[in-house]
């Protein structure tokens, strides 16, 4: 599997800073303009920081590997590149299935992925 281009600590910091608060969004509801705005800002930050990087995510998470994309427990031991690949795949999946990102907010997957990135970003 090809490696993703490196992500700077500063870029990761911006991603975490502008990540949507799932708890707040859930209180506001998916129909609120704030939900839509938070998702739009987050996606812009992902692209602006080059967190998003090209790789064949459809191939990487096809067939039996599709379950890896949906299994939040895998995030507990994932390294930064694995978490990044998973989040890239979820963002790209949203282009084909609008509302996908909202679903990973609702089910807690995005929070778990961001929490893992926070842990890894302070690790030596």
């Amino acid at each position: 599997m090809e490696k993703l281009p490196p992500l700077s600590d500063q870029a990761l910091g911006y991603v975490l800073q502008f990540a949507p608060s799932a708890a707040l969004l859930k209180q506001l509801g998916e129909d609120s303009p704030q939900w839509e705005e938070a998702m739009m800002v987050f996606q812009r930050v992902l692209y602006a920081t080059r967190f998003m990087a090209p790789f064949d995510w459809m191939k990487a998470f096809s067939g039996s590997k599709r379950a890896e994309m949906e299994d939040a427990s895998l995030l507990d031991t994932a390294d930064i590149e694995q978490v990044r690949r998973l989040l890239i795949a979820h963002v790209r999946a949203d282009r084909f299935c609008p509302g996908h990102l909202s679903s990973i907010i609702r089910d807690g997957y995005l929070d778990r992925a961001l929490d893992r990135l926070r842990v890894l970003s302070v690790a030596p």
Side-chain angles (χ1 to χ4, degrees):
M1 186 181 311
E2 66 185 85
K3 293 202 55 80
L4 298 177
L7 184 66
S8 73
D9 291 340
Q10 183 179 27
L12 182 55
Y14 283 128
V15 168
L16 294 172
Q17 178 183 347
F18 289 98
S21 164
L24 176 61
L25 290 179
K26 287 177 186 178
Q27 286 178 349
L28 295 170
E30 288 183 50
D31 295 332
S32 73
Q34 293 93 337
W35 184 293
E36 177 106 10
E37 177 71 17
M39 296 312 302
M40 190 169 52
V41 167
F42 184 55
Q43 288 183 60
R44 284 183 182 158
V45 169
L46 292 175
Y47 281 97
T49 59
R50 295 204 166 110
F51 184 93
M52 298 296 289
F55 81 99
D56 192 349
W57 68 274
M58 290 180 136
K59 183 179 177 185
F61 297 107
S62 66
S64 63
K65 296 255 184 195
R66 176 70 181 174
E68 289 179 22
M69 201 173 138
E70 298 167 5
D71 186 353
S73 70
L74 296 177
L75 293 167
D76 296 340
T77 57
D79 61 23
I80 286 180
E81 179 150 333
Q82 291 168 316
V83 176
R84 189 175 171 200
R85 283 179 179 279
L86 288 162
L87 286 178
I88 290 169
H90 283 290
V91 170
R92 297 245 168 86
D94 191 70
R95 296 179 109 186
F96 295 98
C97 182
H100 181 77
L101 285 177
S102 292
S103 74
I104 69 168
I105 288 175
R106 278 192 313 273
D107 69 16
Y109 187 98
L110 182 61
D111 271 347
R112 201 162 175 175
L114 294 170
D115 286 345
R116 182 65 180 160
L117 287 176
R118 284 182 188 96
V119 166
L120 294 169
S121 71
V122 296

